[in-house]
Every structure is written in structure tokens, then in C-alpha cells.
Amino acid sequence: MKIAFIGLGTMGAPMARRLLEAGHDVTVHNRTRVREEPLAAAGASRADSPAAAAQGAEVVFTMVGDSPDVREVILGPDGVVHGLGEGAIVVDHSTIAPSVAIEVANEVRARGGWCIDAPVSGGSEGAERGTLSIMMGGDASAIERVRPLLEVLGSTLTRVGDSGSGQLAKAVNQVVIAGTYAAVAEGLTLAMASGIDVEATLTAISGGAAGSWGLVNRGPNMITGHYPLGFRTRLHYKDLGIALDAAAQHEVPLPLASWVAQQELALLRRGFGDEDVSNIARLAREAAGIDALPVAEASEED
Amino acid sequence: MKIAFIGLGTMGAPMARRLLEAGHDVTVHNRTRVREEPLAAAGASRADSPAAAAQGAEVVFTMVGDSPDVREVILGPDGVVHGLGEGAIVVDHSTIAPSVAIEVANEVRARGGWCIDAPVSGGSEGAERGTLSIMMGGDASAIERVRPLLEVLGSTLTRVGDSGSGQLAKAVNQVVIAGTYAAVAEGLTLAMASGIDVEATLTAISGGAAGSWGLVNRGPNMITGHYPLGFRTRLHYKDLGIALDAAAQHEVPLPLASWVAQQELALLRRGFGDEDVSNIARLAREAAGIDALPVAEASEED
């Protein structure tokens, strides 16, 4: 299938590569053009603009930073809509405001195309392995038409409603991560401060009602106080902002997510924005005045 | 082995029964004596007091309500210590203050016995199936001696340190549950209020970084707003109180657990203390002014 992929960052580049390796005719474009080169070397065509990339493509993928970037790339002067053919489908994998996703989808529809909001979770590892969870909002038949392509990128594909709904589901995902990581950080801080065997405690509680992905996969790093990526605090803070704005529009109070966002802002302020978001444990630990445990050899592998 | 089991409540009764069915010579005692009868019918002996139950027993199990109950049952006028043989081991499965666990262990040791604090997680279902997680504090060789008995009760046995440490690990467990459930409740409330497909969203996010035992096992009940047990809010509130007291003694701030405890207190005040602790979702939902979704046929099975 002839497709375009716009936005070749940490997530976009491996996603575009997977589509290329699945045998599709892929045209790529990235604002910083040099990032197109590795994909061109692997067989992709290059385009000078989003509009040019979209020309002749049946499906156009976008994976950029935030709401203004999506507006620019899809609706701007050189945007996708200026090259998009009748009936072509835009799949936006960016995490943006649900209201902007709706606005963009309406505009694309008015010009004869379809736009699906399809934010993902699963990180760069998920992008490389094709195991992303893709949360989708938009026309159900358009989603069915792109499903074979999305199966190259993700292992869980879920339509949750009309345009904007995928972004709301992603917001829910980030809200749950916020509080869950905060809970793990607080519990492990108590364990460390009270002098019990923290690693044994982690093992003992992981299998029960306290268990979570964050506890199992980020707990060990919280204990040793090093926070390799993962998912940047800076980006999670951006996503929580989207979630809090969307919640405010629906008049839904999110006191816990709001509190975590403030903690993440403090981490950004102090220069920790590019660590993994599990670094909320820094603040819990510092509040208790305790040091991280030495990194054991076995933990270095993460 | 000749053992005693004191405290035949929701947890103690099935634990005593498992030990009996494993072929041990079990003497039981419960303050409300009628609760001894089903176990006596299954072959257990009955004793008039904790002291009497302890006589001749190599290992004495206790599973009672709170710190004062443990003091009474082990150290009181008719307490276990008055019947305990030289070198016998007390295994206290109750969830109590770490400081009281240390006090009791020291007193038992002064009288020639050993006491292990061994709180559990896994609920009545875990007690019935022998799949509890048992977190232990106390003398390592005493723990090794009782391990074959504990393997009848639990599938995860973890020594986390000296006396009181098992209680601290349980406190950590309850602190992590508190924040994790609160995070799930908040995220699902946003999903419900914003009109997306909540069940599809739950499925989409369960496998990733937002995933937790609480999300998978309690999320569906939070959505429909019915809260079958599980673990009573009343008891989790008690346990959080223990955790917050222990944290205060170690001068460890737990802002998230403290906030959740206040929410649970509000639930107790309003008569919801005997629902499952996942009913924190009531408050998130009420704050957003939205109703629970109708219970689907498929969800009735929980």
C-alpha cells in the first residue's frame, strides 16, 4: 500500500521502519530533514513537505509533539490536507488535546478525507517491537480499513468512540500511571526508611492487590534512584496537562493527577525532565530525607 | 505436628482448616466459642483459652483484629505465654502496629519462646486456597522451622527482617494499594464522564504501564458502582492507620496514603465501611457528578 509517515522522532522512526519492512511503499517527511536519511537508506522515499508526502498516499501517518504541531502538519500551509486525495485516511498517533483532534478530524472530513486519532502507549520499545497499545477515535469503517497497517505497529488495537475519544483514552492512561507511580514511590519510600529488606518486600507484594506494572518494572529503579528511559517526565507532564485540561472541560476534578503534575513540574524545574517518569520517587525519598540504595550489579541491566 | 490456632474469623477459619486437612494435630480457640464448632466437627480439638490452646503446642498461630487483641491473646491473663512451652514458636498473622509486634516478640522471647510477625495479603480467597503472601519479621531459624507449615497457607513466603519488619512490609502493601486504587478510580471517572467506551478503554490500558491488579480486578466493579468483597474499606482504613503511625514514627511523610485514609474515613462515616475498598471510586464519581454504568450481565459473576 502507498503510505506516508510524517514525524520521525523516537516513536515515529521505528514505526515508519516497521511499515517499510512489512513491504509497504512508504514516503517519509520530518521537519529536521536529516532524520529521514536512515529510512531513505532502508528504501523509503522522501518528501519536502507534509503536503508532498500525502500526495498519492492512501494512508498518512503523523507522529509529532503536541496539538500545535498536529495543526501545523495536517492543516498548515504545507499541511497534509493540501496533498490528501479523496477518501484517503490520516492516522494521527500524536498525543494531543481531544478538542484539537476533533477539530482536525472535522477539517479533514470537510476536504474529503478521514482522520483517526490514534495515540499509543508502550514506549519506544513497543514501537520497535510492534507491541504498542493503540487507542482510536473516529469513523469505525475508516478504522477497519487501516487495521491491517496498525497491526504492524501494535498488539492491542481498540476503538473507544468517535473523534477525540482515542485522545481521551490516552489521557485516562496517563492519569492512571500518574497515581500508580506515586503510590509505588510512596510505599517503597516507607520500606526504605524503616530499614526492612526493600527488595524482598517488593517481591512479596508484587503478586497481590498492590501489584502493578509500575511496581514490577519501575520499583527496582526507584529503590536505586536511577531512572533510565522509559518515558520522559517532560512528556508525561505534557500529557497530564492535556488530561487535566480535558477533565476541566468536562468539569471532572482529578485531585490526584493534579498533585502529581505539580510534582513533575518540580522535577522539570530541577533539571530532571529527561529522566524516566518514575523519578517521582526522588521527591518521596527526599521528603523522607533518605538516600537511594546502591545499584546492585543485577539492576544495571535495565 | 501439634499446633494451636487462635482467632477463627474470615481469614483464621480457612487457614486453621487447611492446617487440619494437611494432617496436623490442631487445637483451636476463638473468643466467640461457637466459631470453633465447624473446625471441631472436622477433627480439631477445642481449648477454653489461648493459654490452654498453647499447652503442648510446638507452634501457635494467632489471627485476630488489631494490636490490643494481639496483646490480650498472647500476653494477657489467659494469654498464649501462660501455656507456651520452652522453644515453642508463635506465628502472629494479624495486621498490627510494628512497635507492638516488637514488644510482643520481646516478651515471648523473655519467656523462652519465639514470636514471628507474619501478616498476610491475599484475602479470604487466598486463605481458602493456600495462596496467601506471607511477610515475615523475626528470627531466621525460627522462620525456617515453621516454613513447612506456612507453605500450607501461602504461596509466597518472604522474610523481610527482624521482628516488626513483617508488619512494616504489610504497611507498605496497604500504602501502595491505597494510591493505586485511587489512581484507577480517578482515571475511570474521567473515562466515564467524557463519554468514551469505558470498558474498551479499560482493556486498552490494562496491558501497559497503567496496568495494575486493581485496574484489572476492581476496575469493572468501579465502573458499575458495586463493590462486593474483596477487602473491607473498614479494615483497609485500620491498616492505613497503622501504616501512617509507623511512618510518623520514622518521620516519613505519606501525603498520598494520608489523603486516601481521609477518603476512606468519609466512606465509613457514610455507612460504606463494609463494602470493598475499591469503593473509593464512589467519591471520585460523585465528585464528578456522574452515575455508575448499569451492571452488564457478564459483570454479575464477580
Side-chain angles (χ1 to χ4, degrees):
Chain A
M1 196 180 285
K2 182 157 168 52
I3 64 182
F5 205 109
I6 298 161
L8 305 171
T10 312
M11 297 294 292
M15 292 167 78
R17 184 174 292 271
R18 286 193 66 86
L19 289 163
L20 194 61
E21 288 172 355
H24 295 288
D25 175 3
V26 182
T27 299
V28 297
H29 174 76
N30 195 70
R31 189 169 46 188
T32 305
R33 301 290 312 275
V34 68
R35 297 208 58 144
E36 297 166 6
E37 288 173 6
L39 284 148
S45 307
R46 298 174 69 173
D48 287 342
S49 68
Q55 265 165 8
E58 295 172 71
V59 182
V60 179
F61 293 87
T62 53
M63 179 50 133
V64 294
D66 202 347
S67 303
D69 308 301
V70 169
R71 270 209 193 92
E72 175 71 18
V73 157
I74 298 181
L75 307 181
D78 290 322
V80 167
V81 290
H82 302 294
L84 199 66
E86 179 71 24
I89 301 174
V90 179
V91 178
D92 180 32
H93 287 305
S94 320
T95 295
I96 64 169
S99 58
V100 175
I102 293 169
E103 173 197 327
V104 169
N106 288 341
E107 190 67 27
V108 170
R109 188 76 276 269
R111 289 158 180 268
W114 300 90
C115 185
I116 297 160
D117 51 300
V120 305
S121 74
S124 54
E125 192 176 299
E128 277 152 26
R129 297 186 184 174
T131 57
L132 295 169
S133 176
I134 307 179
M135 293 153 269
M136 297 176 284
D139 181 76
S141 61
I143 287 174
E144 284 316 302
R145 282 164 56 201
V146 296
R147 185 175 288 275
L149 293 170
L150 295 179
E151 282 170 351
V152 174
L153 305 176
S155 50
T156 306
L157 314 181
T158 316
R159 179 179 184 272
V160 291
D162 294 332
S163 289
S165 299
Q167 297 297 346
L168 282 161
K170 178 71 185 285
V172 169
N173 185 70
Q174 302 302 58
V175 163
V176 173
I177 286 174
T180 304
Y181 279 32
V184 171
E186 200 170 273
L188 293 179
T189 299
L190 174 59
M192 294 168 75
S194 63
I196 62 176
D197 183 333
V198 187
E199 289 176 9
T201 301
L202 185 61
T203 305
I205 71 175
S206 287
S212 63
W213 190 96
L215 184 71
V216 170
N217 293 286
R218 295 295 178 254
N221 291 344
M222 290 187 188
I223 293 169
T224 57
H226 79 310
Y227 306 100
L229 300 173
F231 188 70
R232 286 173 209 276
T233 300
R234 184 181 309 288
L235 294 178
H236 192 259
Y237 176 74
K238 181 214 103 184
D239 289 0
L240 270 191
I242 290 170
L244 289 164
D245 284 348
Q249 280 176 18
H250 289 280
E251 295 185 330
V252 177
L254 299 181
L256 176 49
S258 179
W259 177 71
V260 172
Q262 291 292 310
Q263 304 225 54
E264 293 182 355
L265 184 58
L267 290 161
L268 262 58
R269 169 75 185 175
R270 292 172 55 196
F272 298 128
D274 291 315
E275 292 180 339
D276 183 72
V277 63
S278 55
N279 68 352
I280 194 171
R282 274 189 188 281
L283 302 183
R285 202 160 35 69
E286 288 177 6
I290 56 173
D291 295 326
L293 297 184
V295 180
E297 292 298 320
S299 302
E300 291 280 24
E301 289 168 26
D302 322 53
Chain B
M1 195 180 286
K2 185 161 165 47
I3 64 182
F5 206 109
I6 297 162
L8 305 171
T10 311
M11 296 294 291
M15 293 168 77
R17 183 174 293 270
R18 285 192 67 86
L19 290 164
L20 193 62
E21 287 172 355
H24 297 288
D25 176 2
V26 182
T27 299
V28 297
H29 173 76
N30 195 70
R31 189 168 47 188
T32 305
R33 301 291 311 277
V34 68
R35 296 211 56 146
E36 297 165 6
E37 287 171 9
L39 285 149
S45 306
R46 299 174 66 175
D48 287 343
S49 70
Q55 266 165 7
E58 294 172 71
V59 182
V60 178
F61 293 87
T62 53
M63 181 49 133
V64 295
D66 203 348
S67 302
D69 307 301
V70 169
R71 271 211 191 89
E72 174 72 18
V73 156
I74 298 182
L75 307 181
D78 290 323
V80 166
V81 290
H82 302 295
L84 199 67
E86 180 71 25
I89 301 173
V90 179
V91 178
D92 180 31
H93 287 305
S94 319
T95 295
I96 64 169
S99 57
V100 174
I102 294 170
E103 174 198 327
V104 168
N106 287 342
E107 189 67 26
V108 169
R109 186 79 277 267
R111 288 158 181 266
W114 301 90
C115 185
I116 296 160
D117 52 300
V120 305
S121 73
S124 54
E125 191 176 300
E128 277 152 25
R129 296 186 182 175
T131 57
L132 295 169
S133 176
I134 308 180
M135 294 153 266
M136 297 177 285
D139 183 76
S141 60
I143 287 174
E144 284 316 303
R145 283 164 57 202
V146 297
R147 186 176 287 274
L149 292 170
L150 295 180
E151 282 170 350
V152 175
L153 305 177
S155 51
T156 307
L157 314 180
T158 315
R159 180 180 182 271
V160 289
D162 296 331
S163 289
S165 299
Q167 296 297 347
L168 282 161
K170 179 69 185 283
V172 170
N173 185 71
Q174 303 300 61
V175 163
V176 174
I177 287 174
T180 303
Y181 279 33
V184 171
E186 202 171 270
L188 293 180
T189 298
L190 174 58
M192 293 167 75
S194 63
I196 61 176
D197 183 333
V198 187
E199 288 175 10
T201 301
L202 184 63
T203 305
I205 72 176
S206 287
S212 63
W213 190 96
L215 184 70
V216 171
N217 293 285
R218 296 292 178 257
N221 290 344
M222 289 186 189
I223 292 169
T224 56
H226 79 311
Y227 306 101
L229 300 174
F231 188 70
R232 285 172 210 276
T233 300
R234 185 181 307 290
L235 294 177
H236 192 259
Y237 177 74
K238 181 212 101 184
D239 289 0
L240 269 191
I242 290 170
L244 289 164
D245 284 348
Q249 282 176 16
H250 289 279
E251 295 183 332
V252 177
L254 300 181
L256 177 48
S258 178
W259 177 72
V260 172
Q262 291 292 311
Q263 304 226 54
E264 293 181 356
L265 184 58
L267 290 162
L268 262 56
R269 168 75 184 176
R270 293 171 55 195
F272 298 128
D274 292 314
E275 291 180 340
D276 183 71
V277 65
S278 54
N279 68 352
I280 193 170
R282 273 188 189 283
L283 301 184
R285 201 160 34 70
E286 287 178 6
I290 55 173
D291 295 327
L293 297 186
V295 179
E297 293 297 319
S299 302
E300 291 280 25
E301 290 168 25
D302 323 48

